[in-house]
Amino acid sequence: MQKHLFFWGLIFLCFPFLYAQKTIDLRGKVTDENGEPLLGVSVILKGSLKGAATDEKGFYWLQHIPLGKQTFIFSSIGYQTLSKEIEVMPNPSGTHLHLNVSLQEEAEVLQEVEIIGRKESSYKNTSSFSGTKTATAIRDIPQTINYVTKEVILDQGASTVNDIVKNVSGVSQYTTYNDFSIRGFRTTGNRGSGNLINGMRAQTSLWSASSLANIERVEVIKGPAAALFGNASPGGLINRVTKKPLLERQHTVSVNTGSWGTLKSYADFTGPLNESKSLLYRLNLGYETTDGYRDLQGRNTLTIAPSFSFIPNEKTRFNIDLTYYRLDGKVDRGQTIFGDADLYSVPITRSLSATNDFLRETQMNISLGLTHKLTDNLSFNSTFLSSSYSEDLQEHNQANSYYMQQGNNINTGDPSKILMQALLRQRTFRNNSFNNYFNYNFNTGIVKHTLLVGYDYFQINQLPGASQLTAGGYLLADGTTTTTYNPRRFTYLLDNNGKPRTNVAVFDLNNPHTGNAMKDISKYIFEPGGRTIPTQQTSHGIYVQEQLEISMVKLLLGLRKEFFKDYLNYKQSNEKIIEQQALIPRVGLVISATDNINFYSTWMKGFEPQDAATQSDPDRYGGPFDPVYSELFETGIKTDWFNKRLSATASVFKIIQQNSLYPASPAVPGKPDLKMQIGEEESNGFELDLAGEIAPNWNILASYAYIDARITKTAQNNEKDFGMQRPSTPRHSGNIWTKYIITNGFFKHLGFGVGYNFVTERFGQVGRRANTTIYPGYGLVNAVLYYKIRQIQLQANLNNILNKTHWVGGYDKLRSFPGAPRNVNVTVTYKF
């Protein structure tokens, strides 16, 4: 027995030695062509499931590599895949072998769908999937595509898209909602033509700004991108790219606290779920609560966003993304001022909400993605997105009039009292998008081709059960109500002072405490209204795109046929289908003058049908109306500097749009919402954007825009808004933000950043409104201080340091939207 124990003990002791003779570890470093370390490079032992990824210093470690001739595959987004064959032998001087490699940058070999997360970790982003629906270097896309990366989002302490649009040229807030002006044209979150998630149409809120809790970067695709996405806003669209799983394990938790009782908590976990790294995951969690600087405008939000990538082999990849977002708050209808005074006459903190008002929103996005290489040159890509939005709303808001104001004559009303209304609404929207396309790469002589052929389908529905009740206006002697004040036409119920009584109490700007108090809505006379009948819009799009490359010249040709249907009185006995079609071309040219300089030009057309709410109620709005058509002419230059660490884009453009809807002029009595189609609008401008690193520890982001956007043709060419600068569009705007980290000496790991953004004056809602206002220009100074202790980073952001009173946009004296005063936020981030 003792002999047997001795024998097996000897074998056990010798086993590590015997095993080591057959395997050995492999370590090394991966850099780019300039010697800079590359993060997240995939290192795979060919013919096996063994793999690793490089860390932020470019190092990798593969364990238990069999001895003998072996081949290793190094791959990363934006770089040529490198196959390296070596003889794996025992190392007499150590327990592992060394293999350092350098990867060459090449756009053509990028992953065709964004399945695995972005590897870059600076303010610069090299490639885009949404600009051409192929993985293309941004410098090779004949169109302006701006972006804000997660590194900027973190450094600026931003939590919503509204917080970061100041970093992008030509983009400004129209209001504090999910509502923007891009190159002079409005795009709102509740319309699929202005908001994308991962290049897909998404149903989002208008009232609340989009969260950044699970966002990798925000892209702004400039111009009418209808050739790829169908109906689209002429100025551009905003694409939110969600965080995707990474090949390396990475966990981050952060807690933020600051002004106005703000508390934000975020978690980001990612990495492989199995040893072969064929199954990856990412989980983003976010919770935010704040009282806000505006009276009664606190909110709570919750984000839960898991994502999974399955890569069974080199040819096939699957992706599943889920995002659940919940908001509890109120609708902020903006600041209202005295009708005979200026913007400063009422504190920017004052709102007209009642204590018992509420807004409860739920958004859910579920996307399924597949990319499969049929051959080395032919691949198929398919994505399905189910996007839903539910709203439960109770609010008191301005009825767009001062008390006893007659029509548009603001001087007839009481300038200190606001006519109010109450609104109860519940509704749910569902958007299903389906996107399929083939990519085929081939050569004909010296010409390289990337051919894309695709089919899109989307369907937007307002589901059955939607309901809306509105109480407002003046009480009449016959027991009914009216929204119009006209003593010659109506007989009103009068109060003890002989003044007309209102259905909902007016808001007295001199007595805001009463106006903000809890309201007993049971005493109101409600009337049904709004868009409560189920609605449906559908669109089929067939498109083809060819990217040709001949030496230094790249040519992009695109053509899309769009079939749009709007169902009026959907599922009712009087249902009617309005069909609209468009043929949408796109032509772009890129000339690579040097390794660092590309010149480009582009021409494209756009198409945007009128929304269902307007089309479905011709008695109220007029119409039905023709679609909006647009056209873009753009030329510019894209450059790289400091060993391609810093990129810059400069462009000049002209956008022409036809058939926009504006308030009817002259106004029609009794029809305040009647619209007319303006003949033509035009936007001309210049933009400059740069982003990246001046040095490895010095980041910079800057932009400037000059935009001249106005109505150039109307029915009479003498309406009030003819020739005026378009609403919420500053003629000049700019931003600069820079961050520097000290890497040596006593202050090692201490960093600081500073930024300045400005806009010139902007018009409110132009048109026939008598109370249109002009919002003054402003400049804001922001700063941040960092300190990193091992895996913990401390960060303090100070925004609007000079406490500048300003307005980000608005409509008129009844609805203006101020920006936040001075505020501070402190963040603790732990990475493990």
Side-chain angles (χ1 to χ4, degrees):
M1 181 67 181
Q2 292 179 343
K3 293 181 179 179
H4 287 285
L5 290 175
F6 176 78
F7 173 78
W8 287 110
L10 183 63
I11 294 294
F12 178 78
L13 292 174
C14 294
F15 180 77
F17 175 77
L18 295 173
Y19 185 79
Q21 299 306 301
K22 295 180 180 179
T23 67
I24 193 168
D25 292 355
L26 180 69
R27 299 183 185 182
K29 184 177 183 180
V30 182
T31 61
D32 63 15
E33 55 232 85
N34 301 308
E36 296 293 331
L38 293 177
L39 168 68
V41 175
S42 174
V43 186
I44 302 293
L45 173 61
K46 187 175 181 180
S48 78
L49 298 179
K50 290 185 178 296
T54 56
D55 61 20
E56 59 186 12
K57 296 182 179 181
F59 291 110
Y60 70 91
W61 182 9
L62 282 173
Q63 295 179 304
H64 307 311
I65 304 301
L67 302 182
K69 190 172 290 185
Q70 303 291 351
T71 301
F72 299 90
I73 308 298
F74 297 82
S75 63
S76 178
I77 180 173
Y79 295 88
Q80 295 181 21
T81 297
L82 177 64
S83 178
K84 193 76 171 179
E85 184 180 79
I86 64 170
E87 186 72 27
V88 177
M89 300 177 62
N91 184 0
S93 62
T95 59
H96 61 268
L97 290 178
H98 281 279
L99 177 60
N100 298 333
V101 299
S102 176
L103 299 186
Q104 303 295 311
E105 187 175 9
E106 182 174 285
E108 289 77 2
V109 296
L110 301 178
Q111 55 176 326
E112 293 170 352
V113 176
E114 195 155 7
I115 298 291
I116 300 177
R118 167 179 169 268
K119 306 301 190 298
E120 295 167 299
S121 57
S122 74
Y123 289 3
K124 180 184 176 183
N125 182 55
T126 303
S127 62
S128 173
F129 296 81
S130 55
T132 60
K133 287 195 176 178
T134 61
T136 305
I138 290 178
R139 68 185 183 191
D140 291 333
I141 299 175
Q143 188 177 1
T144 297
I145 298 180
N146 301 131
Y147 51 83
V148 179
T149 65
K150 67 178 184 299
E151 288 75 23
V152 178
I153 293 171
L154 176 63
D155 289 347
Q156 295 186 352
S159 59
T160 69
V161 172
N162 295 47
D163 296 332
I164 53 90
V165 294
K166 65 189 177 188
N167 297 291
V168 181
S169 66
V171 182
S172 58
Q173 290 182 249
Y174 205 101
T175 62
T176 54
Y177 305 146
N178 189 7
D179 186 11
F180 307 96
S181 173
I182 303 178
R183 287 184 168 179
F185 296 95
R186 190 179 186 183
T187 178
T188 60
N190 62 333
R191 301 187 67 180
S193 59
N195 251 272
L196 301 178
I197 293 180
N198 298 321
M200 300 288 290
R201 295 179 182 278
Q203 195 69 37
T204 57
S205 168
L206 169 63
W207 310 119
S208 58
S210 297
S211 172
L212 297 172
N214 66 320
I215 299 302
E216 171 69 34
R217 66 182 180 276
V218 175
E219 297 179 332
V220 180
I221 305 170
K222 302 288 185 66
L228 282 180
F229 303 106
N231 57 301
S233 175
L237 50 81
I238 296 175
N239 181 39
R240 287 172 291 146
V241 180
T242 58
K243 294 178 180 178
K244 301 295 189 299
L246 298 176
L247 288 165
E248 68 275 6
R249 180 178 177 273
Q250 181 175 295
H251 298 163
T252 304
V253 176
S254 67
V255 177
N256 172 291
T257 185
S259 303
W260 314 305
T262 298
L263 175 64
K264 305 175 186 178
S265 300
Y266 303 104
D268 183 359
F269 306 109
T270 186
L273 288 172
N274 58 2
E275 186 178 352
S276 64
K277 300 190 176 182
S278 61
L279 183 60
L280 312 175
Y281 86 100
R282 193 156 192 169
L283 176 63
N284 283 274
L285 305 172
Y287 173 76
E288 302 173 11
T289 181
T290 181
D291 296 330
Y293 72 94
R294 302 258 300 148
D295 298 338
L296 300 177
Q297 295 304 315
R299 68 178 186 273
N300 301 299
T301 68
L302 173 66
T303 302
I304 303 174
S307 177
F308 301 93
S309 296
F310 178 48
I311 312 171
N313 52 58
E314 295 179 355
K315 293 185 176 182
T316 306
R317 297 182 177 188
F318 297 93
N319 197 76
I320 301 175
D321 284 293
L322 298 94
T323 303
Y324 171 85
Y325 176 80
R326 172 78 179 183
L327 176 140
D328 290 303
K330 292 181 174 66
V331 174
D332 187 354
R333 293 283 183 167
Q335 173 200 24
T336 298
I337 61 174
F338 294 98
D340 55 358
D342 61 24
L343 288 166
Y344 299 90
S345 63
V346 171
I348 63 171
T349 57
R350 184 171 301 167
S351 78
L352 273 59
S353 295
T355 300
N356 54 326
D357 287 348
F358 59 81
L359 170 65
R360 302 184 183 115
E361 294 181 325
T362 301
Q363 298 177 50
M364 175 72 80
N365 295 312
I366 304 174
S367 67
L368 306 174
L370 163 68
T371 178
H372 178 67
K373 282 187 173 292
L374 302 171
T375 69
D376 289 341
N377 297 322
L378 178 64
S379 65
F380 172 69
N381 302 278
S382 180
T383 305
F384 171 76
L385 171 66
S386 175
S387 179
S388 64
Y389 167 79
S390 297
E391 174 185 272
D392 184 8
L393 172 69
Q394 175 180 302
E395 67 161 335
H396 291 75
N397 61 54
Q398 308 92 315
N400 293 328
S401 179
Y402 290 91
Y403 178 56
M404 296 193 302
Q405 179 180 331
Q406 298 185 37
N408 293 312
N409 188 353
I410 193 173
N411 296 321
T412 61
D414 186 332
S416 65
K417 294 183 174 64
I418 312 303
L419 187 66
M420 297 292 290
Q421 64 181 6
L423 182 66
L424 305 177
R425 184 169 64 212
Q426 293 183 351
R427 57 184 181 175
T428 298
F429 293 92
R430 182 162 295 151
N431 179 343
N432 291 320
S433 300
F434 197 32
N435 184 4
N436 307 271
Y437 57 92
F438 289 90
N439 279 331
Y440 183 45
N441 301 310
F442 63 98
N443 297 335
T444 55
I446 62 172
V447 182
K448 295 181 180 179
H449 301 261
T450 300
L451 179 65
L452 182 146
V453 179
Y455 165 74
D456 288 346
Y457 172 78
F458 80 86
Q459 175 180 308
I460 300 176
N461 291 86
Q462 178 175 273
L463 302 185
S467 58
Q468 177 172 309
L469 298 174
T470 304
Y474 301 88
L475 299 175
L476 299 179
D478 62 4
T480 62
T481 63
T482 179
T483 58
T484 304
Y485 181 68
N486 186 345
R488 296 180 180 179
R489 182 180 175 188
F490 300 101
T491 302
Y492 300 92
L493 285 180
L494 304 179
D495 61 17
N496 294 334
N497 298 317
K499 297 292 182 65
R501 293 174 56 190
T502 57
N503 190 7
V504 177
V506 299
F507 192 104
D508 187 348
L509 293 176
N510 292 309
N511 187 15
H513 301 294
T514 299
N516 291 141
M518 182 179 292
K519 302 296 192 300
D520 184 359
I521 64 173
S522 66
K523 297 180 179 180
Y524 301 158
I525 300 174
F526 282 97
E527 294 183 357
R531 194 173 77 183
T532 58
I533 298 175
T535 64
Q536 178 168 291
Q537 291 181 339
T538 64
S539 180
H540 300 264
I542 302 171
Y543 54 93
V544 60
Q545 176 183 277
E546 167 76 299
Q547 293 173 269
L548 304 96
E549 181 178 350
I550 311 172
S551 183
M552 59 185 292
V553 177
K554 297 179 178 67
L555 182 65
L556 186 150
L557 303 173
L559 187 66
R560 181 187 183 95
K561 180 66 175 181
E562 184 87 359
F563 303 89
F564 182 85
K565 291 183 180 181
D566 200 345
Y567 294 75
L568 303 183
N569 305 311
Y570 181 56
K571 290 188 176 181
Q572 305 299 306
S573 59
N574 58 342
E575 178 181 293
K576 182 180 179 182
I577 301 175
I578 295 179
E579 298 188 42
Q580 302 173 64
Q581 299 183 13
L583 187 64
I584 309 166
R586 178 189 189 189
V587 178
L589 175 68
V590 176
I591 299 177
S592 300
T594 69
D595 288 341
N596 296 329
I597 299 176
N598 282 6
F599 294 97
Y600 75 94
S601 293
T602 193
W603 168 79
M604 65 179 69
K605 287 196 171 184
F607 162 78
E608 190 175 13
Q610 306 294 349
D611 67 86
T614 302
Q615 296 285 61
S616 63
D617 197 348
D619 290 337
R620 178 180 178 182
Y621 297 105
F625 298 102
D626 292 331
V628 174
Y629 295 104
S630 56
E631 188 173 16
L632 168 72
F633 302 89
E634 181 177 329
T635 187
I637 181 174
K638 300 184 180 184
T639 64
D640 291 310
W641 303 93
F642 303 110
N643 291 324
K644 298 186 178 181
R645 293 195 305 265
L646 181 72
S647 64
T649 299
S651 64
V652 293
F653 63 87
K654 175 192 288 289
I655 301 174
I656 301 172
Q657 176 177 269
Q658 297 176 326
N659 296 334
S660 293
L661 295 183
Y662 274 78
S665 179
V668 177
K671 292 192 173 184
D673 298 321
L674 200 66
K675 307 289 185 181
M676 62 180 291
Q677 289 195 286
I678 300 299
E680 188 173 278
E681 297 163 280
E682 187 173 304
S683 176
N684 297 276
F686 166 77
E687 294 175 340
L688 173 66
D689 292 86
L690 62 88
E693 296 178 336
I694 296 176
N697 57 330
W698 184 6
N699 284 267
I700 189 169
L701 188 71
S703 66
Y704 168 78
Y706 167 79
I707 297 177
D708 181 14
R710 60 184 71 215
I711 298 172
T712 55
K713 189 184 297 182
T714 63
Q716 304 296 330
N717 281 351
N718 60 7
E719 286 83 357
K720 178 183 177 182
D721 50 1
F722 175 74
M724 293 180 65
Q725 182 82 345
R726 287 180 57 83
S728 294
T729 303
R731 191 147 295 177
H732 300 273
S733 61
N735 174 76
I736 185 169
W737 171 268
T738 185
K739 177 187 75 170
Y740 185 81
I741 303 294
I742 300 173
T743 57
N744 296 294
F746 181 78
F747 294 104
K748 185 178 180 181
H749 302 312
L750 180 68
F752 55 89
V754 64
Y756 176 77
N757 68 283
F758 76 92
V759 299
T760 54
E761 69 175 20
R762 292 134 294 137
F763 286 104
Q765 184 67 59
V766 297
R768 62 183 176 84
R769 292 178 184 257
N771 48 2
T772 296
T773 189
I774 297 177
Y775 300 100
Y778 62 84
L780 304 180
V781 179
N782 306 302
V784 65
L785 188 67
Y786 315 85
Y787 186 70
K788 188 173 183 180
I789 308 173
R790 295 181 181 177
Q791 296 165 290
I792 299 176
Q793 176 171 294
L794 305 178
Q795 175 179 330
N797 288 82
L798 183 59
N799 302 309
N800 193 2
I801 293 176
L802 303 181
N803 203 26
K804 178 74 173 180
T805 300
H806 64 289
W807 288 264
V808 300
Y811 304 122
D812 48 44
K813 290 188 174 183
L814 289 159
R815 290 182 179 174
S816 299
F817 294 87
R822 182 191 297 123
N823 61 93
V824 62
N825 290 281
V826 178
T827 305
V828 179
T829 302
Y830 176 53
K831 292 185 178 181
F832 59 100

